[in-house]
């Protein structure tokens, strides 16, 4: 298992997700939730780095970007944002929220599957449930976009990209802090499934799989 690849030095903390806030102004539950993300150990092939979070979604936000890498190819990429509002949020029904975007180019066998959107959503919920995580108010979209080429580009193969946008409220544990390390691990499993990789282990074998990627797709 590979540890999260983010470089979390003191100098990078503002750019990496704290929105430039000083440590004293950040609530303790949020600091502990971010620490959980930093301690997460992820499956090999997933590279994770902090990135600048959105500024207006919540009083406190932390963001990570990740890619599933095979050689010099990125098979899938995505972004995970941890939001925190100490006063609570009516739509979240909690004080924390996880928001994600995942994207990947698909092999023809995967792109043609009529159940692809339902299966992609099951990868997210299945990865969370396989780790015993309780969550609420989950919602999102699965979008399949195809490109066909004509004229001077007619020799290129059609390409299809899948995009998953989702958010959910993680259950808060001791001290009002969710198990963000486990949620990050589940999210990375979603990223790997979208990339066409098999489940990481026995806990994920109940997740439905589409035909696996034979290798990076090149037009």
């Amino acid at each position: 298992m590979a540890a999260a690849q983010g470089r979390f030095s003191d100098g990078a903390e503002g750019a990496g997700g704290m929105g430039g806030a000083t440590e004293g102004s950040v609530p303790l539950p949020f600091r502990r939730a971010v620490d959980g993300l930093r301690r997460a150990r992820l499956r090999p092939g997933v590279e994770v780095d902090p990135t600048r979070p959105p500024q207006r979604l919540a009083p406190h936000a932390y963001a990570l970007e990740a890619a599933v890498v095979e050689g010099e190819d990125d098979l899938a990429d995505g972004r995970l944002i941890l939001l925190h509002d100490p006063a609570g949020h009516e739509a979240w029904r909690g004080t924390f929220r996880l928001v994600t975007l995942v994207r990947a180019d698909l092999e023809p066998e995967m792109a043609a599957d009529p159940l692809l959107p339902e299966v992609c959503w099951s990868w997210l919920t299945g990865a969370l449930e396989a780790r015993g995580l309780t969550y609420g108010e989950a919602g999102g979209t699965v979008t399949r976009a195809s490109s066909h080429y004509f004229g001077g580009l007619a020799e290129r193969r059609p390409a299809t990209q899948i995009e998953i946008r989702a958010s959910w409220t993680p259950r808060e544990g001791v001290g009002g802090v969710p198990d963000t390390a486990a949620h990050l691990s589940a999210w990375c499993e979603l990223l790997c499934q979208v990339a066409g990789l098999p489940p990481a282990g026995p806990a994920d074998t109940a997740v439905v799989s589409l035909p696996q990627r034979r290798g990076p797709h090149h037009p």
Side-chain angles (χ1 to χ4, degrees):
M1 301 293 285
Q5 301 292 319
R7 294 179 290 275
F8 297 110
S9 66
D10 291 339
E13 228 172 7
M18 291 293 189
T22 61
E23 183 174 346
S25 68
V26 178
L28 181 59
F30 182 64
R31 293 207 306 269
R32 289 177 173 172
V34 171
D35 286 342
L37 293 174
R38 295 174 176 175
R39 292 195 303 268
R41 299 187 64 82
L42 311 176
R43 61 185 285 180
V46 179
E47 296 185 357
V48 180
D49 282 291
T51 188
R52 187 172 297 279
Q55 301 297 309
R56 299 181 180 179
L57 295 181
H60 305 280
Y62 190 88
L64 296 170
E65 59 185 7
V68 179
V69 179
E70 185 177 86
E72 297 183 354
D73 296 289
D74 288 357
L75 304 184
D77 63 80
R79 196 176 193 214
L80 183 69
I81 304 169
L82 175 68
L83 304 176
H84 179 56
D85 186 340
H89 194 291
E90 183 178 357
W92 302 353
R93 296 186 181 273
T95 62
F96 283 92
R97 188 76 171 170
L98 286 162
V99 181
T100 184
L101 166 66
V102 171
R103 298 170 299 194
D105 292 327
L106 298 178
E107 289 293 324
E109 295 90 341
M110 295 177 69
D113 194 305
L115 296 178
L116 178 68
E118 290 82 0
V119 170
C120 286
W121 185 255
S122 78
W123 287 338
L124 172 60
T125 59
L128 293 169
E129 291 162 7
R131 287 158 181 78
L133 294 170
T134 304
Y135 60 94
E137 307 306 312
T141 62
V142 178
T143 304
R144 174 170 41 188
S146 298
S147 298
H148 297 266
Y149 301 93
F150 301 93
L153 301 177
E155 294 184 357
R156 298 182 64 177
R157 296 172 57 190
T160 302
Q161 185 179 73
I162 195 74
E163 180 181 277
I164 303 171
R165 294 178 180 268
S167 62
W168 65 97
T169 299
R171 181 179 65 84
E172 297 168 15
V174 177
V177 182
D179 187 351
T180 50
H183 281 272
L184 176 57
S185 176
W187 178 73
C188 287
E189 188 60 37
L190 165 67
L191 200 64
C192 290
Q193 288 275 299
V194 171
L197 303 182
D204 297 299
T205 55
V207 177
V208 178
S209 295
L210 292 175
Q212 295 169 14
R213 185 185 298 271
R214 293 190 298 272
H217 169 63
H218 299 286

